Amino acid sequence: MQGMQGMQGMQGARNAQVAFDEYGRPFIILKDEDRKKRLTGIEAHRSHIIAAKSISSTLRTSLGPKGLDKLLVSPDGDITVTNDGRTTLEKMDVEHEIAKLLVQLSRSQDDEIGDGTTGVVVLAGALLEQAEQLLDKGIHPIRIADGYELAAKVAIEHLETISDKFDFSRENKEPLIRTAMTTLGSKIVNKCERMFAEMAVDAVLSVADLERQDVDFELIKIETKVGGKLDDSMLVQGVIVDKDFSHPQMPKLLKDVKMAILTCPFEPPKPKTKHNLYVETVDDYKKLREYEQTKFTDMVDQVLNTGANLVICQWGFDDEANHLLLHKNLPAVRWVGGPEIELIAIATGGRIVPRFEELTADKLGSAGVVRELSFGTTKERMLVIEDCHNSKAVTAFLRGGSRMIVEEAKRSLHDALCVVRNLVRDSRIIYGGGAAELSCAIKVSQEADQVVGLEQYAMRAFSDALESIPMALAENAGFHSIQTVADLKARHITEANPRLGVDCLSKGTADMKEQHVLETLSSKRAQLMLAVQLCKMILKIDDIRASKDDVYG
């Protein structure tokens, strides 16, 4: 035993080092170098850049209308097929901390703008790849970051000069629809892109306050149901609830509906006492049963006396109560969730009633039609509440042949909704297909010649990185990427036309205005700013300490 303790002490001595402070006092530093790994300087930067490039190259093939989808399998065996940047990165099992920053970058772009999640990661990867070449030349990382910031400022100012502003209204929706179609062109729903774009535009304009340039997404609900075709999807000017009428013999279609929205239990009140109630005889039981029946009948009559012909209840009621509701010709829906109750109240102009005593005629909601949807041979039902008092509550109902298609359609529609919302807030657009990136690349390269100092190298590298977007688009479309970008760049300079981009769909013209390939200025501006901020943060990290079994190095 003593021998083992002695060996451990010798081992500890080998892993320790004596040092002295400024007053000459000794202290011991325990070294865990056998279990630690450290990367410093250029090696640390290389580790970051390799991780970022691997993530960027994964998403690069998903960019554009000809981009490819990714199939991701979770540890539980759930399958996701998508080409959405944020979804792909969040479903990937990423361990490297720098790679996780790119996942957060994509999430930030999605939260802020809602679109462009793939492009921002591809751009960040290209910027870091160009930074690696500058680091090899001996340029300090801070000078590179400063040059990138200068270039981003030039590019954003140039974007504003080449942007176009278009006017739209609730009557003239075509510009909004075309911009939404550009977003949907790279999605799995591109065969129905016109229909989905119209759904997104109609949904946003229904809830938008154009004077304040504000859109409340809480009023737009997306419901999905597996089965049918994508073409069967529809936009309902009202609410869809994943419930059915409480009794199968209740009518499936109601018109000119006055509905009572209740959050109190639709049942006789229970005695609120700690004392027990003993039923000792048959007569006592009959009296109690008669009391409950009378009380419930009074409750139903109270609802009918207000003029209501439909009850929406947050809680349930038993079969006897259900039968009485049918007998009294009062259709009812039970177990409706809190968010749905609130949306129904907003849509129908009704008031949520927490106590029966407070139910009056002026608290009823109104709707033109309430109908029950059935789906094929399944027993599943859904309720549609249409022609509501307040049209500022809409529901997009999506169908699809499988759960994967329905989920991807939901993500695609969300992106389109975000694009239309951004246009309501700021109606300036730029032209897609890599046209804006090429125009900015030329402008940044020209400005770099006017800059004195090492930052000019970083600005030229930024210009080269911007060209990675049109290159990826051309590559995914099956074109010779370098030749395509070189030709477009030459035409940009000679024709002074900032609308020239990659003709991914082979329509015979490179003018993105003629092809109606449009992007929002706010989305492109956010891409540049977020990518540069991430690169600056990564370039400032020059020391990594991690366990040997970690993913670094």
Side-chain angles (χ1 to χ4, degrees):
M1 192 71 182
Q2 290 178 350
M4 289 179 64
Q5 289 176 348
M7 288 176 64
Q8 289 175 354
M10 292 172 62
Q11 183 70 26
R14 283 201 296 269
N15 286 336
Q17 180 180 352
V18 178
F20 299 90
D21 63 11
E22 62 268 25
Y23 300 107
R25 293 176 299 198
F27 60 93
I28 297 174
I29 301 173
L30 289 174
K31 298 191 299 180
D32 286 332
E33 295 300 326
D34 56 330
R35 296 195 301 273
K36 295 285 185 181
K37 181 158 186 170
R38 182 178 180 187
L39 292 174
T40 58
I42 192 71
E43 291 302 320
H45 287 121
R46 283 191 201 281
S47 170
H48 304 158
I49 291 168
I50 289 170
K53 281 164 62 178
S54 66
I55 294 290
S56 176
S57 62
T58 303
L59 290 189
R60 185 182 171 93
T61 54
S62 295
L63 194 65
K66 297 291 187 180
L68 304 178
D69 291 349
K70 310 297 179 194
L71 188 146
L72 303 144
V73 184
S74 73
D76 298 331
D78 293 334
I79 297 173
T80 304
V81 178
T82 183
N83 71 349
D84 180 67
R86 174 178 180 171
T87 308
T88 303
L89 292 180
E90 287 188 341
K91 298 284 184 181
M92 288 169 63
D93 188 14
V94 177
E95 294 183 358
H96 197 289
E97 292 303 320
I98 299 301
K100 286 179 181 177
L101 290 177
L102 285 170
V103 178
Q104 293 170 10
L105 171 70
S106 180
R107 189 182 302 137
S108 299
Q109 176 75 12
D110 196 35
D111 292 342
E112 183 70 21
I113 300 297
D115 188 33
T117 53
T118 304
V120 70
V121 175
V122 172
L123 179 59
L127 287 170
L128 288 170
E129 188 175 355
Q130 292 293 328
E132 185 179 19
Q133 299 175 18
L134 298 178
L135 289 169
D136 290 340
K137 291 179 180 178
I139 300 177
H140 196 276
I142 297 298
R143 305 296 291 274
I144 299 172
D146 291 344
Y148 278 178
E149 283 199 322
L150 282 173
K153 185 180 178 183
V154 171
I156 290 170
E157 289 174 355
H158 183 64
L159 278 177
E160 294 182 355
T161 61
I162 64 172
S163 64
D164 283 348
K165 186 170 183 177
F166 61 85
D167 297 321
F168 65 90
S169 63
R170 297 185 193 276
E171 292 75 31
N172 180 26
K173 300 182 289 188
E174 193 61 27
L176 293 175
I177 292 171
R178 286 176 174 171
T179 311
M181 285 173 64
T182 302
T183 302
L184 296 167
S186 61
K187 308 294 184 185
I188 201 169
V189 299
N190 59 359
K191 299 296 180 188
C192 311
E193 61 180 8
R194 176 81 192 187
M195 184 188 76
F196 271 75
E198 289 176 353
M199 282 173 59
V201 171
D202 290 341
V204 170
L205 290 182
S206 296
V207 305
D209 186 340
L210 295 182
E211 292 182 4
R212 292 174 48 226
Q213 296 183 328
D214 185 41
V215 178
D216 186 1
F217 264 18
E218 295 294 324
L219 298 175
I220 301 175
K221 187 181 176 188
I222 302 178
E223 282 286 346
T224 61
K225 180 66 73 174
V226 176
K229 308 186 295 292
L230 281 171
D231 305 69
D232 297 334
S233 303
M234 61 181 177
L235 182 72
V236 175
Q237 296 290 335
V239 183
I240 294 181
V241 186
D242 195 5
K243 299 290 176 186
D244 57 355
F245 288 113
S246 59
H247 198 288
Q249 290 182 334
M250 287 179 178
K252 308 301 182 190
L253 176 66
L254 301 173
K255 294 185 178 180
D256 299 324
V257 180
K258 297 289 184 182
M259 64 182 71
I261 306 169
L262 306 175
T263 56
C264 51
F266 207 115
E267 59 187 20
K270 294 181 174 59
K272 295 182 179 179
T273 175
K274 294 182 180 178
H275 302 290
N276 295 325
L277 179 66
Y278 292 101
V279 180
E280 296 180 345
T281 65
V282 175
D283 291 338
D284 290 344
Y285 176 75
K286 286 182 178 178
K287 286 179 183 177
L288 182 63
R289 188 167 179 273
E290 285 174 7
Y291 164 77
E292 288 186 348
Q293 284 184 328
T294 305
K295 194 69 179 174
F296 193 79
T297 303
D298 292 343
M299 294 169 75
V300 174
D301 290 338
Q302 185 181 348
V303 174
L304 288 170
N305 290 337
T306 62
N309 54 5
L310 175 64
V311 175
I312 305 286
C313 189
Q314 189 173 12
W315 302 98
F317 35 82
D318 56 25
D319 291 339
E320 189 175 349
N322 203 13
H323 175 74
L324 186 59
L325 285 166
L326 177 67
H327 181 69
K328 292 277 188 177
N329 293 320
L330 182 60
V333 184
R334 54 186 169 182
W335 301 120
V336 180
E340 285 85 0
I341 284 271
E342 292 178 8
L343 204 58
I344 290 170
I346 292 170
T348 60
R351 295 281 297 278
I352 297 174
V353 180
R355 296 173 59 192
F356 251 98
E357 294 78 9
E358 299 175 7
L359 182 61
T360 55
D362 60 326
K363 294 182 179 179
L364 300 179
S366 59
V369 177
V370 176
R371 57 190 173 93
E372 193 176 79
L373 287 177
S374 59
F375 305 99
T377 58
T378 66
K379 295 182 179 180
E380 296 180 3
R381 304 282 189 272
M382 296 181 88
L383 280 180
V384 181
I385 303 172
E386 293 180 289
D387 301 333
C388 296
H389 167 80
N390 177 17
S391 62
K392 286 198 168 188
V394 296
T395 305
F397 184 51
L398 306 182
R399 305 298 308 278
S402 68
R403 185 182 61 82
M404 289 182 291
I405 290 176
V406 168
E407 289 298 318
E408 183 67 3
K410 186 176 180 180
R411 286 189 287 266
S412 304
L413 184 62
H414 174 263
D415 285 359
L417 288 169
C418 290
V419 166
V420 180
R421 177 200 62 185
N422 295 336
L423 285 171
V424 170
R425 291 177 175 175
D426 182 356
S427 61
R428 288 178 294 175
I429 57 154
I430 54 172
Y431 296 96
E437 284 85 354
L438 278 174
S439 183
C440 288
I442 295 167
K443 180 65 176 177
V444 169
S445 182
Q446 292 170 352
E447 289 294 321
D449 296 336
Q450 312 299 322
V451 174
V452 177
L454 292 175
E455 285 79 10
Q456 61 179 293
Y457 290 95
M459 291 180 73
R460 292 193 186 97
F462 186 94
S463 173
D464 292 340
L466 284 174
E467 294 177 13
S468 65
I469 300 292
M471 274 194 179
L473 290 172
E475 193 176 314
N476 294 341
F479 304 146
H480 191 292
S481 56
I482 298 175
Q483 183 67 47
T484 303
V485 172
D487 291 346
L488 284 172
K489 202 171 176 182
R491 289 184 61 189
H492 266 266
I493 295 171
T494 55
E495 298 177 22
N497 185 357
R499 301 187 299 271
L500 298 174
V502 180
D503 182 17
C504 297
L505 301 176
S506 302
K507 291 189 175 180
T509 175
D511 194 321
M512 295 295 109
K513 188 172 185 178
E514 294 179 17
Q515 288 200 27
H516 305 298
V517 179
L518 313 172
E519 292 186 56
T520 59
L521 173 64
S522 54
S523 173
K524 193 62 65 180
R525 187 169 52 200
Q527 280 188 14
L528 292 174
M529 290 169 63
L530 290 171
V532 169
Q533 287 171 9
L534 180 77
C535 292
K536 184 176 181 180
M537 183 171 68
I538 292 174
L539 288 171
K540 291 180 76 173
I541 302 171
D542 74 332
D543 198 342
I544 305 172
R545 293 172 182 268
S547 302
K548 273 195 173 179
D549 56 352
D550 213 333
V551 292
Y552 292 99

